[in-house]
Amino acid sequence: MNIKEWIFTTDHKRVGILYLIGSIAAFVVAGIMAGLMRAELSAIGPTVTANPTTYNVWLYAHGAIMILGFQIPALTGFFANYCIPLMIGAKDVAFPRVNALSVWLFYVGVILALLTFVIPDPPDVLWTGYPPYSTITTGNTAFYTFTVLTLGFASIIGGVNFLTTVVYMRAPGITWNKLNIFVWCILGAFVMQLIFVPVLGSAVTLISFDKYLGTHFFDPANGGDVLTYQNLFWFYSHPAVYVIFLPYIGVVFEIVATFAKNHVFNYKAAVYGGVGGIVLISGEVWIHHLYVSGMPDWLRIGQMVSTLMISVPVGLLVISLVGTLYKGAISFETPMLYALGVVFLFLIGGLTGIPLAVTALTLNLSETYYVVGHFHYVMAVAGTFAIFGGVYYWFPKMTGKMYSEFWGKTGFWVTFVGVNAVFWVMMDIGVKIGLPRRYYDYAQFPEALQSQQIMSMGAAVIAVGAAITILNWIIGAIQGPKAGNNPWGSQSFEWTTVSPPPHGNWPSPPSAAESWNPYAYGKR
Amino acid sequence: MHKQRRLPGCRTGAVWLGGLASWLMASMVQAGEKLHDPARGWDHLWNEVLVDITVIGIVFAIIAAYFVIRYRRTSPGQQGSATGLSAAAAVAWVVIPGFVFLADDLYIAAQGWSLWNTYRDVPADRLEVTLESGMYSWDYTYANGVRTQNELIVPAGKPVMLKMHSRDTIHSHYLPDFRVKEDSMPGRVTYLWFLPKEAGKEHLVTCTEYCGVMHSYMAGKVIVKTEAEFKTWLDQETAKLGNKAKMT
Ligand SMILES: [Cu+2]
Ligand SMILES: [Cu+2]
């Protein structure tokens, strides 16, 4: 294997694998940050560090790197790159060189984020970067701005590329209503990225203008308004939740259909109602992040209704997903365990979001551990389980080899126990005593000690589970047994070529038969 | 054989929708009369929503678990046996669940709106106090100019309204016992109110918007006195204020 070939590659599969390697590295770094925080919180008072700023830098790095360096690049970088051309029978993406640019921009962004640990005045503005704090802190807010801009730009050019690819490069016979659900989910996610990322870009740029160039966009003493930033920020960052949610639920659909050997239940409802509905509503719910920020009353009530209505498209997706199990022939290899794990975690995470949609309930719940527990269930943990499951599912396709089922399942169960120990307890303590998030020390809440210690132990369990999983991939990729071209017996188009697929994917341009469908199992 | 075009559930649906709407109105009026204390209203609505989401969660979990057990693969090479949906069934599987979810959403929204109004309509017989937050203290000013820091002293049984702003970064004045918080920030005045009940009690005040390095130490308390004790205290403080004014 030639390093130069990888650096100058324009092959979508290699670009995808580069995204995967970078995002897993980011996951490890951000996970270590979580571990440091859990260690700090395992006792009241200073534990690991006596400096609250150090803790805040961990907190910043954990959030920013997990979201911008791990989940979004793994889902819209790795899975989209690797799977979409294969799923639609294309030889590559529409603009392979632009694609290579996007992955290297992503690496620049990750390196900028990692510089947090070596520069003397690291950013301490959390992943939200709210002014006035971000404009008056001695921390280096410019790093925050440039990290977000770089990763955002990488994502936008990815979006242009994939929309073009799916519209123009489908093989003959692969029509819109025969696209994999995952492809639809990626289309939805990138439509949202293209609409909303520029808004985030302007928000974080204006902060650095205020801080370094002396402008007053967010300075009320000079005619600015601090809340403008929060509106712009969440106008992107709530849809960002769906930019993560859609691809991960898409991955889960692929796994569930393959391991249940069944049609997707009510495909059109999932695609047009579920994916389409989420894209439509995604831009009208951001105020639920500003329920306690002094927005006008009518706006807080209006967006309570729109936020609750998200349950309709999400409910349609869940019905399709659970319905796909009906009359299936289900087997339980590692990818399927993860997919079913996502269903469980998402049920808890999604339903605990309903109280947070209700403005009046949020007056008590917001900014507590309840919120943190909720969004870890619904986005962080469910999303990560989908990523892990997806990597296992396409592992034989990428490497031509098989991982160890035993260690795959062991890693799943260990992680599953760990995440529930952490995040269930987190929601519980948040609602019981109102323990606030982003606290370096909780001396005011001594009754939280026991819960904090359970969470810290749970975090250690997660670390063991994640280590087993990542090692299982590395060892499987090096010395796993040969897997064959289609070990799961999937009908989806990516399994019709050899594993791993050659440059160009198929020896000659493929086409899909009239009877072909990615979910054509059993009798028709 | 031909498929029936009209959906049989249409008229029944309209009847249901009408019934639902009137029931919502009724429950809103009822809820509005019941709740004069936002904290009690919060506990009530939280419990109700908790039951709602628990039931939905258990229903979905049981169905999924049943499918997983019932339809596990028994021989290698076995395929699923689900048949495609007819057009009518496909539409019904969107309309009916969509209607149920939407009904639940609107029911919760109506309850939430009613409680919201309790939170935002401050009773007229209130004690108004101005709060200025800063890195890192809560500074309260009473109507007659008496000031306290990190200690909000209030009489039992009287609604307390805080009019808030910040002199630096954004803070959030959170009263976990009273189930309420609201951000304070430069350039805007925000408000919240709560109803202290028991004299002799102290309640935690804590900050829930990241405001700087010492954020997690930004604590205070609400001290509840009897009406008489409160008056004595306020008179004493007012007198001190007067003396100071005379001296200068
Ligand atoms: Cu949100
Ligand atoms: Cu604070």
Side-chain angles (χ1 to χ4, degrees):
Chain A
M1 195 160 55
N2 185 338
I3 286 285
K4 233 169 119 182
E5 261 177 36
W6 279 84
I7 291 176
F8 293 104
T9 187
T10 56
D11 178 352
H12 71 97
K13 297 181 292 300
R14 289 192 167 186
V15 169
I17 288 169
L18 287 172
Y19 261 114
L20 178 65
I21 293 168
S23 55
I24 295 294
F27 170 76
V28 171
V29 172
I32 292 170
M33 298 301 108
L36 288 169
M37 286 190 286
R38 284 305 347 150
E40 177 58 50
L41 295 171
S42 63
I44 294 170
T47 313
V48 180
T49 173
N51 183 356
T53 302
T54 307
Y55 178 87
N56 290 331
V57 172
W58 298 339
L59 188 51
Y60 162 76
H62 172 71
I65 297 179
M66 277 293 188
I67 294 171
L68 301 170
F70 167 56
Q71 288 206 315
I72 293 182
L75 290 162
T76 64
F78 161 61
F79 285 115
N81 259 299
Y82 199 90
C83 299
I84 284 198
L86 288 169
M87 280 177 171
I88 64 171
K91 66 180 197 303
D92 207 309
V93 291
F95 312 114
R97 266 180 246 150
V98 171
N99 204 26
L101 173 65
S102 94
V103 73
W104 292 116
L105 273 176
F106 158 69
Y107 273 91
V108 171
V110 169
I111 289 166
L112 274 178
L114 292 179
L115 283 175
T116 299
F117 305 116
V118 292
I119 57 175
D121 50 355
D124 60 343
V125 296
L126 314 180
W127 90 282
T128 47
Y130 281 7
Y133 184 71
S134 55
T135 57
I136 63 171
T137 173
T138 53
N140 196 327
T141 305
F143 263 88
Y144 171 73
T145 299
F146 283 112
T147 306
V148 172
L149 287 179
T150 310
L151 293 171
F153 187 56
S155 186
I156 283 183
I157 58 182
V160 173
N161 208 345
F162 285 106
L163 293 185
T164 315
T165 305
V166 176
V167 172
Y168 290 107
M169 296 180 68
R170 281 168 293 123
I174 301 188
T175 54
W176 288 104
N177 282 321
K178 285 182 172 184
L179 285 184
N180 291 67
I181 301 260
F182 175 76
V183 177
W184 279 110
C185 287
I186 288 290
L187 287 179
F190 274 125
V191 166
M192 288 190 286
Q193 286 289 76
L194 288 178
I195 297 172
F196 297 113
V197 166
V199 181
L200 176 71
S202 61
V204 299
T205 305
L206 294 182
I207 298 188
S208 277
F209 280 8
D210 268 16
K211 178 161 181 177
Y212 302 105
L213 304 180
T215 55
H216 304 292
F217 294 104
F218 308 125
D219 174 11
N222 290 286
D225 185 341
V226 288
L227 287 185
T228 305
Y229 177 84
Q230 294 184 25
N231 278 288
L232 294 172
F233 181 85
W234 288 110
F235 193 68
Y236 166 72
S237 295
H238 189 80
V241 173
Y242 304 125
V243 170
I244 292 169
F245 170 71
L246 281 183
Y248 92 57
I249 209 73
V251 167
V252 171
F253 265 100
E254 302 309 325
I255 297 174
V256 166
T258 292
F259 287 87
K261 290 276 182 292
N262 220 354
H263 312 293
V264 166
F265 180 79
N266 217 353
Y267 171 94
K268 284 184 183 167
V271 169
Y272 301 109
V275 179
I278 284 176
V279 173
L280 274 184
I281 307 179
S282 66
E284 293 93 52
V285 297
W286 80 95
I287 293 295
H288 67 228
H289 294 271
L290 286 87
Y291 278 166
V292 299
S293 309
M295 296 307 288
D297 285 357
W298 65 267
L299 195 53
R300 293 195 248 191
I301 288 304
Q303 296 221 345
M304 166 175 74
V305 178
S306 57
T307 302
L308 282 166
M309 284 196 333
I310 283 281
S311 70
V312 176
V314 168
L316 293 178
L317 283 170
V318 173
I319 288 176
S320 279
L321 197 54
V322 173
T324 303
L325 298 169
Y326 175 68
K327 290 196 174 176
I330 305 165
S331 68
F332 301 96
E333 285 84 358
T334 309
M336 188 60 167
L337 286 187
Y338 276 103
L340 294 173
V342 172
V343 174
F344 177 85
L345 296 164
F346 179 73
L347 268 185
I348 295 178
L351 289 167
T352 52
I354 289 178
L356 291 171
V358 180
T359 321
L361 291 180
T362 301
L363 292 183
N364 184 31
L365 296 172
S366 83
E367 300 294 321
T368 66
Y369 270 40
Y370 178 82
V371 175
V372 185
H374 152 72
F375 75 68
H376 274 83
Y377 261 108
V378 75
M379 181 179 85
V381 179
T384 302
F385 269 51
I387 292 168
F388 282 12
V391 171
Y392 273 120
Y393 175 56
W394 283 294
F395 189 89
K397 177 60 37 189
M398 285 187 284
T399 61
K401 295 176 184 164
M402 203 39 125
Y403 58 84
S404 151
E405 274 296 340
F406 172 79
W407 288 111
K409 287 179 177 166
T410 308
F412 168 80
W413 285 111
V414 172
T415 317
F416 187 73
V417 169
V419 293
N420 284 294
V422 175
F423 298 109
W424 186 269
V425 174
M426 195 176 272
M427 289 197 295
D428 178 71
I429 194 75
V431 83
K432 270 199 188 123
I433 64 171
L435 185 64
R437 67 193 283 204
R438 296 172 170 173
Y439 268 27
Y440 155 74
D441 189 4
Y442 48 102
Q444 306 165 47
F445 294 90
E447 65 271 40
L449 179 63
Q450 203 192 2
S451 300
Q452 293 281 24
Q453 287 173 340
I454 296 173
M455 287 187 263
S456 295
M457 286 186 285
V461 175
I462 297 174
V464 173
I468 292 174
T469 303
I470 294 171
L471 284 176
N472 194 20
W473 293 337
I474 295 172
I475 293 169
I478 296 169
Q479 56 175 44
K482 273 216 167 358
N485 290 342
N486 188 3
W488 313 127
S490 175
Q491 294 292 332
S492 188
F493 211 78
E494 75 271 24
W495 299 98
T496 61
T497 181
V498 295
S499 301
H503 195 90
N505 297 338
W506 285 270
S508 59
S511 64
E514 183 71 41
S515 61
W516 174 85
N517 184 293
Y519 310 116
Y521 298 100
K523 57 175 187 262
R524 189 63 197 159
Chain B
M1 268 211 19
H2 64 97
K3 279 198 188 113
Q4 206 171 351
R5 281 281 137 221
R6 208 177 115 264
L7 274 176
C10 263
R11 205 182 315 148
T12 342
V15 174
W16 271 94
L17 202 61
L20 182 80
S22 47
W23 172 57
L24 283 179
M25 299 294 242
S27 66
M28 269 166 65
V29 172
Q30 204 188 13
E33 281 165 0
K34 226 163 34 198
L35 309 168
H36 301 289
D37 175 9
R40 263 189 46 211
W42 193 92
D43 287 348
H44 177 85
L45 184 57
W46 165 257
N47 285 326
E48 203 165 288
V49 174
L50 198 60
V51 170
D52 184 90
I53 61 179
T54 308
V55 169
I56 301 173
I58 288 177
V59 167
F60 270 99
I62 287 179
I63 293 172
Y66 172 76
F67 287 173
V68 164
I69 295 163
R70 169 73 181 74
Y71 300 113
R72 63 193 187 283
R73 196 177 302 167
T74 46
S75 62
Q78 189 191 349
Q79 301 266 304
S81 56
T83 46
L85 293 171
S86 69
V91 171
W93 270 105
V94 172
V95 173
I96 296 171
F99 180 78
V100 172
F101 292 141
L102 208 57
D104 193 42
D105 289 344
L106 291 179
Y107 174 70
I108 293 174
Q111 303 272 83
W113 188 13
S114 157
L115 178 58
W116 173 250
N117 290 331
T118 313
Y119 267 104
R120 300 311 283 175
D121 297 340
V122 194
D125 66 325
R126 62 197 178 217
L127 172 70
E128 273 191 31
V129 180
T130 303
L131 164 71
E132 182 177 276
S133 59
M135 294 155 90
Y136 297 90
S137 70
W138 307 108
D139 298 331
Y140 303 101
T141 308
Y142 292 76
N144 60 5
V146 169
R147 291 159 157 273
T148 62
Q149 189 165 67
N150 296 333
E151 284 187 355
L152 175 59
I153 295 160
V154 296
K158 199 175 176 77
V160 180
M161 180 191 197
L162 290 180
K163 292 192 161 174
M164 308 183 289
H165 67 275
S166 171
R167 62 174 169 265
D168 40 51
T169 58
I170 305 174
H171 307 265
S172 195
H173 191 273
Y174 179 32
L175 299 159
D177 289 349
F178 298 108
R179 312 282 189 261
V180 67
K181 69 171 70 68
E182 186 88 10
D183 291 358
S184 61
M185 65 201 83
R188 267 171 204 252
V189 175
T190 54
Y191 74 91
L192 60 78
W193 79 275
F194 61 97
L195 183 64
K197 283 182 178 158
E198 237 182 285
K201 268 207 157 178
E202 290 189 2
H203 303 275
L204 184 69
V205 176
T206 193
C207 182
T208 48
E209 183 59 60
Y210 182 72
C211 54
V213 186
M214 300 305 276
H215 168 56
S216 57
Y217 293 104
M218 198 170 150
K221 57 190 166 189
V222 173
I223 301 170
V224 189
K225 294 182 184 286
T226 63
E227 189 90 42
E229 282 168 358
F230 176 75
K231 199 175 174 311
T232 319
W233 171 81
L234 193 64
D235 288 347
Q236 273 171 7
E237 295 296 311
T238 315
K240 276 188 214 163
L241 211 64
N243 290 341
K244 243 189 247 161
K246 257 176 251 163
M247 283 190 309
T248 49

